[in-house]
């Protein structure tokens, strides 16, 4: 493994614009996906259990100072009802996501995780932000299988700029990822693509970090400006900002997904809701053909979900049963199969990039 070669390889692909050449990248990623994780597409029901948040992330609609949101926190019974629904819909995993909400106490989350594990065959993924080691350990003992926390960007200066107040350091998130592994969680992380001020060379470092962290799950999505946030008020990133500003484009998301697949061949890689929001008609299909092997249908009841507005226009379903049936149809329409069971990470090979591909 040669770090300089890997950096050059990643940089070449991230800056490639010729669709004909990019077709080679999509092909390589799709082949790697097929060989390493097969044809199954796993469904993970995404349940947004609370929109309370103590953080002030400059990009996120859930940030504490946003007074436009009606805040909610689901009860154990409401969560259990959705868990049973996810199981009935054919999801193998339930993802419990929320703002960083101290009202989601160690005890309350532990109790609901224990019940889900006792009363359903679902795997449980938690995505509840930066929590204490003792919380994470308690939830693991209660039966939680996976934890997902994005490091957002490996550029420490950019990270600091978009996470004002509170002791919010990217190194804290990296330490949490290490702690999660120690606790035996399957561990997931990811980034936003197209944050104003994000350079292409920092995307290269993000991708290499995915590999060195040996992630089990990698979730990457476009940065989408939210008008009620300080960063959102500055608008979308533009090529005029500076020469290697990363754009929050659909193509850039596919490039990062495809390169993630090459670097981490066995990882579970979802087609994120952010990508499906950019392209409602074909985002799922194209994401699945460019490295992805997971879809996370949102199963939050609409009266809660409409207040979980991390960015505007997020894909939401009015009627969840028919929406999931439609997703299954779309999976089959591209010759893939709908996975059953928890769809945990399989371990067969180590991630190395394929041989140099001439871009000349
Ligand atoms: N509180 C948990 C955490 O911080 O990990 C989970 C919830 S948080 C809303 C989930 C993810 O939403 C973040 O990791 C971030 O990448 C993404 N997000 C927030 N605001 C966004 C925006 N404006 N555009 C795109 N993604 C956004």
């Amino acid at each position: 493994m040669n770090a300089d070669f890997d950096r050059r390889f990643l940089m070449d692909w991230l800056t490639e614009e010729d669709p004909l050449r990019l077709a080679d990248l999509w092909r390589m990623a799709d082949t790697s996906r097929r060989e390493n994780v097969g044809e199954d597409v796993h469904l993970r029901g995404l349940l947004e259990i609370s929109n309370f948040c103590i953080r002030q992330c400059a990009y996120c609609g859930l940030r504490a100072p946003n007074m436009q949101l009606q805040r909610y926190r689901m009860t154990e019974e409401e969560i259990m009802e959705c868990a049973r629904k996810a199981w009935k819909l054919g999801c193998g995993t339930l993802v419990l996501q929320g703002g960083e909400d101290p009202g989601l106490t160690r005890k309350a989350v532990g109790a609901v995780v224990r019940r889900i594990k006792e009363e359903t065959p679902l795997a449980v993924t938690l995505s509840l932000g930066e929590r204490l080691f003792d919380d994470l350990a308690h939830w693991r003992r209660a039966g939680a299988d996976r934890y997902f926390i994005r490091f957002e960007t490996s550029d420490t200066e950019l990270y600091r700029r978009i996470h004002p107040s509170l002791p919010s350091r990217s190194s804290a998130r990296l330490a949490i990822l290490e702690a999660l592994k120690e606790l035996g969680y399957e561990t997931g992380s990811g980034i936003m693509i197209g944050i104003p001020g994000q350079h292409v060379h920092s995307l290269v470092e993000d991708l290499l970090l995915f590999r060195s962290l040996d992630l089990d799950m990698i979730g990457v999505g476009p940065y989408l400006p939210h008008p009620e946030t300080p960063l959102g008020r500055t608008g979308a990133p533009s090529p005029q900002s500076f020469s290697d500003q990363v754009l929050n484009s659909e193509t850039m998301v596919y490039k990062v997904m495809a390169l993630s697949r090459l670097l981490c061949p066995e990882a579970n890689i979802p087609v994120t809701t952010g990508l499906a929001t950019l392209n409602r008609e074909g985002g799922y299909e194209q994401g699945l053909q460019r490295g992805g092997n997971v879809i996370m249908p949102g199963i939050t009841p609409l009266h809660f979900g409409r207040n979980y507005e991390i960015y505007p226009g997020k894909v939401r379903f009015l009627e969840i049963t028919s929406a999931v049936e439609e997703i299954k149809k779309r999976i089959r329409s591209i010759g893939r199969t709908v996975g059953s069971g928890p769809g945990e990470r399989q371990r067969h090979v180590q991630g190395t990039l394929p041989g140099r591909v001439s871009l000349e």
Side-chain angles (χ1 to χ4, degrees):
M1 207 151 40
N2 173 330
D4 286 341
F5 163 69
D6 287 354
R7 283 195 171 82
R8 175 71 215 280
F9 179 94
L10 296 171
M11 183 57 109
D12 283 348
W13 280 119
L14 288 171
T15 50
E16 180 59 67
E17 287 180 3
D18 179 346
L20 286 176
R21 292 185 185 190
L22 281 171
D24 281 339
L25 177 60
W26 312 148
R27 252 193 306 280
M28 283 193 289
D30 202 39
T31 303
S32 173
R33 186 272 308 155
R34 186 176 313 112
E35 288 172 354
N36 291 288
V37 295
E39 301 294 359
D40 276 356
V41 176
H42 304 289
L43 297 181
R44 327 269 204 222
L46 175 62
L47 184 60
E48 295 144 331
I49 61 174
S50 166
N51 70 351
F52 283 94
C53 191
I54 55 168
R55 297 272 165 190
Q56 302 195 22
C57 305
Y59 47 86
C60 182
L62 303 192
R63 66 197 307 271
N66 183 3
M67 298 301 166
Q68 307 299 319
L69 275 190
Q70 207 178 323
R71 303 282 172 169
Y72 71 87
R73 183 180 301 120
M74 292 177 69
T75 64
E76 183 173 316
E77 277 319 314
E78 287 164 342
I79 295 172
M80 286 310 301
E81 200 179 308
C82 294
R84 285 187 284 268
K85 178 129 199 184
W87 178 19
K88 215 165 124 203
L89 288 168
C91 297
T93 298
L94 181 66
V95 182
L96 302 183
Q97 199 193 72
E100 206 162 302
D101 174 10
L104 292 173
T105 62
R106 181 181 303 169
K107 198 165 153 226
V109 175
V112 78
V113 168
R114 197 167 287 114
R115 269 191 75 187
I116 297 166
K117 298 301 288 186
E118 281 168 6
E119 297 177 27
T120 77
L122 293 167
V124 174
T125 302
L126 298 177
S127 178
L128 302 174
E130 295 177 36
R131 301 290 303 228
L132 296 174
F133 184 88
D134 288 350
D135 293 347
L136 303 172
H138 181 79
W139 300 336
R140 177 76 186 129
R141 283 194 298 274
D145 303 274
R146 309 181 188 132
Y147 202 95
F148 185 86
I149 180 164
R150 285 182 175 174
F151 61 79
E152 314 292 2
T153 170
S154 59
D155 176 339
T156 50
E157 175 51 28
L158 177 60
Y159 188 90
R160 198 189 52 71
R161 275 209 306 275
I162 61 175
H163 295 97
S165 81
L166 288 174
S168 196
R169 290 165 290 120
S170 55
S171 55
R173 292 201 157 213
L174 297 180
I176 288 170
L177 288 167
E178 288 306 323
L180 291 165
K181 283 191 178 177
E182 215 176 283
L183 290 166
Y185 279 96
E186 271 193 56
T187 302
S189 194
I191 56 167
M192 282 184 296
I193 296 167
I195 308 166
Q198 187 177 37
H199 295 260
V200 180
H201 63 75
S202 85
L203 270 194
V204 169
E205 301 308 316
D206 297 340
L207 281 158
L208 292 173
L209 191 52
F210 291 166
R211 179 170 64 186
S212 60
L213 289 169
D214 188 24
L215 295 174
D216 303 306
M217 304 169 277
I218 299 171
V220 298
Y223 159 69
L224 296 166
H226 189 303
E228 293 300 328
T229 63
L231 202 64
R233 282 190 277 273
T234 68
S238 91
Q240 281 77 44
S241 313
F242 50 85
S243 64
D244 75 340
Q245 163 70 53
V246 174
L247 296 184
N248 60 349
S249 66
E250 199 183 333
T251 304
M252 190 54 104
V253 178
Y254 294 136
K255 287 181 187 176
V256 176
M257 286 180 72
L259 293 168
S260 301
R261 172 60 66 202
L262 297 181
L263 285 161
C264 306
E266 299 171 330
N268 283 313
I269 301 182
V271 181
T272 54
T273 313
L275 177 56
T277 298
L278 281 187
N279 179 352
R280 286 167 193 257
E281 280 71 42
Y284 282 138
E285 289 85 342
Q286 292 192 57
L288 290 176
Q289 291 168 318
R290 294 166 181 191
N293 71 321
V294 170
I295 289 182
M296 297 168 59
I299 60 162
T300 312
L302 208 55
H303 58 285
F304 291 127
R306 67 166 66 95
N307 282 308
Y308 197 89
E309 202 198 43
I310 58 182
Y311 48 76
K314 195 170 190 217
V315 168
R316 294 226 171 258
F317 309 125
L318 285 176
E319 209 289 295
I320 180 68
T321 307
S322 49
V324 172
E325 284 315 308
E326 176 63 27
I327 288 174
K328 289 180 184 171
K329 243 195 252 163
R330 289 172 68 169
I331 292 170
R332 293 186 186 112
S333 77
I334 54 167
R336 302 281 281 279
T337 45
V338 178
S340 58
E344 64 274 65
R345 179 204 176 157
Q346 308 292 321
R347 286 179 182 274
H348 311 289
V349 294
Q350 275 221 313
T352 49
L353 291 173
R356 181 187 283 271
V357 175
S358 168
L359 301 178
E360 262 64 67

